[in-house]
Amino acid sequence: QVQLVESGGGLVQTGGSLRLSCAASGRTFSDYAMGWFRQAPGKGPEFVAAITRYDLKTYYADSVKGRFTISRDSAKDTVYLQMNSLKPEDTAVYYCAADSRRLPIATRYDYEYRGQGTQVTVSS
């Protein structure tokens, strides 16, 4: 069993930055590919970013490419999402997902573990 706990959300003005954290516990963190998703009010979930287990390859949605950076720290069992140049359309609940079988990059799958999410609100 893996527990995922997100933190770092909040209210920020357009153009501002936030860093989200997703702390994992319970199993070997490095065995899991990690991803970030978001869901805005009235909309379906959207892939944001993902990072592989061992070679640390990263993937991004076109909407965040160049503004967001995903990284992971195996010493802290934590994955991060650095968000810069935030826009009002980035407002959503952000949650992380972990999976040992596939990269969390598509919303159509139920990944092995996901967190409860953290709210990000970008004011205009």
Side-chain angles (χ1 to χ4, degrees):
Q1 193 79 359
V2 173
Q3 292 78 42
L4 301 175
V5 179
E6 301 93 340
S7 61
L11 174 64
V12 64
Q13 292 185 332
T14 296
S17 298
L18 285 173
R19 188 177 79 156
L20 305 184
S21 300
C22 171
S25 61
R27 299 291 289 271
T28 304
F29 177 68
S30 58
D31 287 344
Y32 294 86
M34 302 295 296
W36 285 97
F37 295 84
R38 66 187 182 186
Q39 188 162 12
K43 296 185 177 181
E46 177 188 13
F47 165 72
V48 176
I51 187 166
T52 58
R53 294 182 291 179
Y54 304 123
D55 56 1
L56 307 185
K57 289 185 66 175
T58 57
Y59 301 83
Y60 297 94
D62 287 343
S63 58
V64 306
K65 204 171 291 183
R67 300 187 297 123
F68 291 11
T69 302
I70 188 172
S71 61
R72 63 190 297 164
D73 185 340
S74 292
K76 297 183 178 180
D77 290 350
T78 299
V79 62
Y80 302 99
L81 185 68
Q82 177 67 44
M83 306 187 296
N84 299 328
S85 303
L86 283 162
K87 305 175 182 179
E89 50 264 45
D90 294 319
T91 295
V93 173
Y94 285 70
Y95 60 93
C96 61
D99 205 294
S100 63
R101 305 159 301 175
R102 58 168 61 98
L103 185 67
I105 202 167
T107 58
R108 64 180 180 272
Y109 296 114
D110 289 327
Y111 297 104
E112 289 181 283
Y113 303 102
R114 60 163 285 181
Q116 292 299 307
T118 184
Q119 176 70 47
V120 171
T121 303
V122 185
S123 63
S124 56

